[in-house]
Amino acid sequence: MRCDEDIKQVIIIRNDLKMGKGKIASQAAHASLAAYKKVLSLDKKIVECWEENGSKKVVLKIESLDKLNEILRKLEDFNIPYVVIIDRGLTQVEPGTLTAVGIGPWLSESIDRVTRDLKLL
Amino acid sequence: MRCDEDIKQVIIIRNDLKMGKGKIASQAAHASLAAYKKVLSLDKKIVECWEENGSKKVVLKIESLDKLNEILRKLEDFNIPYVVIIDRGLTQVEPGTLTAVGIGPWLSESIDRVTRDLKLL
């Protein structure tokens, strides 16, 4: 792959959980770091290209777990690397709650096929 | 160092900038990932211990740049690794704005000496 392709990381936050902004920030950080490590183990070159171009990150919201599960199925179908963040539930949410998803860094074009209907958080 | 020491990553968000929650989430993700990479290059063992124990992350808030600069001076004094996140200012803040700081993962005891007066975001 060439470094002139658009690459980004997308973080999806469950907006239906009514997490406070500190909680959202920590879930986003977990998702970003875990997805980064996953992609680094799969495709170091794409991570390097992403970093060279400013490590673009976009945070989107989703309004239900059902809708999020649809997204996850599509990510599987398109073979796009992602991680799910499951909260231990010590604060604000029930234990085992899926709070956030980290996608990529990966080709923006591929990610957009899956997330194009989601809005910015 | 032994892996039974308490290690955490702390993210400090400028609360005076009135960023929206999506913006806060993206700045937190930038800070988390950049600080992680910095510490990884300095002390891989501390990162491994942190990961083994669940990659604890805490998000704090600060109410002014002056107060944040005091924190940065103390981090320097105590030799605690940190990164500052400077936003390009395409949305919500002026170009060149310091929006967030990522600290560690590092010994909680050391970080707490610097950040103990800050509240959770």
Side-chain angles (χ1 to χ4, degrees):
Chain A
M1 77 161 298
R2 304 192 316 268
C3 256
D4 55 0
E5 301 223 47
D6 194 46
I7 294 165
K8 66 182 171 185
Q9 185 178 61
V10 168
I11 297 159
I12 304 177
I13 299 286
R14 285 272 303 277
N15 200 37
D16 57 313
L17 297 175
K18 308 297 173 201
M19 296 180 282
K21 54 190 178 179
K23 182 81 180 178
I24 289 171
S26 68
Q27 302 307 301
H30 283 304
S32 177
L33 186 52
Y36 164 84
K37 287 195 275 190
K38 180 163 189 172
V39 178
L40 197 62
S41 71
L42 294 170
D43 189 337
K44 200 168 176 201
K45 177 76 178 149
I46 209 166
V47 172
E48 287 168 358
C49 286
W50 176 63
E51 289 169 338
E52 267 175 38
N53 288 298
S55 307
K56 184 179 179 186
K57 297 179 189 74
V58 178
V59 183
L60 304 175
K61 60 183 173 182
I62 200 153
E63 299 302 334
S64 75
L65 183 57
D66 283 350
K67 284 180 184 160
L68 187 52
N69 281 330
E70 275 176 44
I71 297 287
L72 299 183
R73 276 193 295 272
K74 287 182 193 166
L75 291 169
E76 293 283 344
D77 289 346
F78 288 114
N79 217 10
I80 298 169
Y82 69 93
V83 297
V84 298
I85 302 303
I86 309 287
D87 198 74
R88 287 184 301 155
L90 303 176
T91 58
Q92 297 192 32
V93 300
E94 292 298 307
T97 303
L98 199 175
T99 56
V101 172
I103 307 169
W106 206 247
L107 293 174
S108 297
E109 199 185 346
S110 299
I111 297 178
D112 288 344
R113 254 183 259 157
V114 176
T115 62
R116 80 178 101 214
D117 292 335
L118 302 185
K119 293 195 165 62
L120 291 171
L121 177 66
Chain B
M1 76 160 298
R2 304 193 316 267
C3 256
D4 55 0
E5 300 222 47
D6 193 47
I7 294 165
K8 65 182 171 187
Q9 185 178 61
V10 167
I11 298 158
I12 304 176
I13 298 287
R14 285 273 303 278
N15 199 39
D16 56 313
L17 297 175
K18 308 297 173 200
M19 297 179 282
K21 53 191 179 179
K23 184 80 181 179
I24 288 172
S26 68
Q27 301 308 302
H30 284 303
S32 178
L33 186 52
Y36 164 85
K37 287 194 275 189
K38 178 160 189 173
V39 178
L40 197 63
S41 71
L42 293 171
D43 188 337
K44 201 170 176 199
K45 177 76 178 150
I46 209 166
V47 172
E48 287 168 356
C49 286
W50 176 63
E51 289 170 337
E52 270 176 34
N53 288 297
S55 306
K56 183 178 179 185
K57 296 180 190 73
V58 177
V59 183
L60 303 175
K61 61 182 172 183
I62 200 154
E63 299 301 334
S64 74
L65 183 57
D66 283 350
K67 284 181 184 161
L68 187 53
N69 281 330
E70 275 177 44
I71 296 288
L72 299 182
R73 276 193 293 273
K74 287 183 193 168
L75 290 169
E76 293 283 345
D77 288 345
F78 288 114
N79 217 8
I80 297 169
Y82 69 91
V83 296
V84 298
I85 302 303
I86 308 287
D87 199 73
R88 285 184 301 155
L90 302 176
T91 57
Q92 298 191 31
V93 299
E94 293 298 307
T97 303
L98 199 174
T99 55
V101 173
I103 307 169
W106 205 249
L107 294 175
S108 297
E109 198 186 346
S110 299
I111 298 177
D112 289 343
R113 254 183 258 157
V114 177
T115 63
R116 80 179 102 213
D117 292 335
L118 303 185
K119 292 195 167 61
L120 291 171
L121 176 66

